[in-house]
Amino acid sequence: MKKITILILLICYSFSCLSQVFKEKYIKDANDISISWLDKLNNKEFGNAYSVFHNKVKINSDSISSCNAFAQLMNEFGKLISRNLDTTFFQNNIEGLGDGFYVFIEYKSVYKKVNSCDEYLILEQDDKMKWKILRYDFSYLDKELNKKK
């Protein structure tokens, strides 16, 4: 009986370790995609950036409007000075979107016209197991606001 209990515990532990390894790989892969996507924005490759959007996003936004919004945003931000990874985590369910593989990523960025910018991305694996941008948000205080304080 002891041997069976030990065997069951070893099997459960093995599955737990494998699960953690997969989560870490998902986060790393999604982070690589998000950095590549943000680089596309910073290098004004807006069409290429749009192509990395998840189909769930493309259904509600056309490429021309998205590319125009990207151009306006990058003009407002100016040139990227630095970007550092702040937070990442994996989730297998989002309320309203259901089950899936989701990675949440937050960067602390500095742009020429924006002193401190938090950039938030949610990525989801599509039906071909490729990470796609599901959401991009940001928040910041621009340098002019910081100077007045």
Side-chain angles (χ1 to χ4, degrees), residues 76-93:
E76 183 178 330
F77 282 7
K79 184 178 182 199
L80 176 69
I81 296 171
S82 68
R83 175 178 290 123
N84 294 302
L85 181 63
D86 185 53
T87 307
T88 60
F89 64 93
F90 173 84
Q91 215 170 286
N92 60 10
N93 187 293

Side-chain angles (χ1 to χ4, degrees), residues 84-113:
N84 294 302
L85 181 63
D86 185 53
T87 307
T88 60
F89 64 93
F90 173 84
Q91 215 170 286
N92 60 10
N93 187 293
I94 295 179
E95 188 174 330
L97 293 176
D99 293 338
F101 291 163
Y102 303 97
V103 173
F104 294 73
I105 301 174
E106 180 181 344
Y107 298 99
K108 301 287 186 188
S109 302
V110 177
Y111 288 88
K112 185 175 182 179
K113 297 178 184 177

Side-chain angles (χ1 to χ4, degrees), residues 21-79:
V21 167
F22 282 121
K23 284 181 187 178
E24 289 171 7
K25 180 176 177 7
Y26 293 152
I27 289 171
K28 182 198 173 306
D29 292 348
N31 186 53
D32 290 346
I33 297 298
S34 68
I35 288 291
S36 173
W37 185 79
L38 288 166
D39 285 345
K40 286 174 178 46
L41 286 186
N42 297 134
N43 293 315
K44 300 182 184 337
E45 299 172 19
F46 305 133
N48 291 334
Y50 180 81
S51 72
V52 184
F53 270 159
H54 197 287
N55 284 337
K56 291 177 184 176
V57 177
K58 290 178 180 178
I59 288 171
N60 296 315
S61 64
D62 67 82
S63 62
I64 294 171
S65 297
S66 295
C67 290
N68 288 338
F70 293 153
Q72 183 178 356
L73 182 66
M74 290 300 103
N75 187 48
E76 183 178 330
F77 282 7
K79 184 178 182 199

